[in-house]
Amino acid sequence: QVQLVESGGGLGQAGGSLRLSCAATGSFFSIGAMNWYRQAPGKQRELVAGITSDGITLYADSVKGRFTISRDNAKNTVYLQMNSLKPEDTAVYSCYAPVKTAARTAWVGRWGQGTQVTVPS
């Protein structure tokens, strides 16, 4: 069973930094683009950033210039470096990636358990 295991997060400071990590564990053939989503209380989940296995990145406009997504393919791990934190960054951050368990199987989406990021105003 493939799992996405997140770490990092917690209590940050306005203007400060936090770093999230998400590692894919278990047995699998291939992992696709790795993504970070977030959901604030009372709001819909939104895509924060994504990165392909080739290193192509995309960001939500709200985090461009402040957050950086990176990936270590050898470790099957994606990182989200969050700088210049704002109170509106407060949310549960979840990692998502499509995974193939074998060469001829379909892609199946996997979610991490989520990690809370809180930036007090």
Side-chain angles (χ1 to χ4, degrees):
Q1 183 76 8
V2 180
Q3 288 187 318
L4 299 182
V5 181
E6 296 147 350
S7 59
L11 182 64
Q13 292 183 340
S17 299
L18 287 172
R19 189 191 196 207
L20 306 181
S21 300
C22 172
T25 64
S27 177
F28 54 90
F29 175 76
S30 181
I31 187 165
M34 301 184 79
N35 308 275
W36 286 100
Y37 285 78
R38 69 185 181 187
Q39 187 167 22
K43 295 187 177 181
Q44 289 189 329
R45 184 164 54 196
E46 63 172 349
L47 176 65
V48 177
I51 184 168
T52 69
S53 57
D54 296 332
I56 298 171
T57 59
L58 64 86
Y59 296 93
D61 288 342
S62 58
V63 306
K64 281 181 182 176
R66 300 189 298 121
F67 290 9
T68 301
I69 190 169
S70 60
R71 176 172 177 161
D72 185 335
N73 288 329
K75 295 181 179 179
N76 296 309
T77 299
V78 63
Y79 306 94
L80 186 67
Q81 178 66 43
M82 305 185 292
N83 298 331
S84 302
L85 286 167
K86 302 177 180 180
E88 50 262 45
D89 294 322
T90 296
V92 175
Y93 285 71
S94 299
C95 177
Y96 171 85
V99 177
K100 272 193 174 188
T101 55
R104 295 185 178 184
T105 60
W107 292 98
V108 178
R110 287 286 183 262
W111 287 94
Q113 77 281 9
T115 185
Q116 178 70 46
V117 170
T118 301
V119 185
S121 56

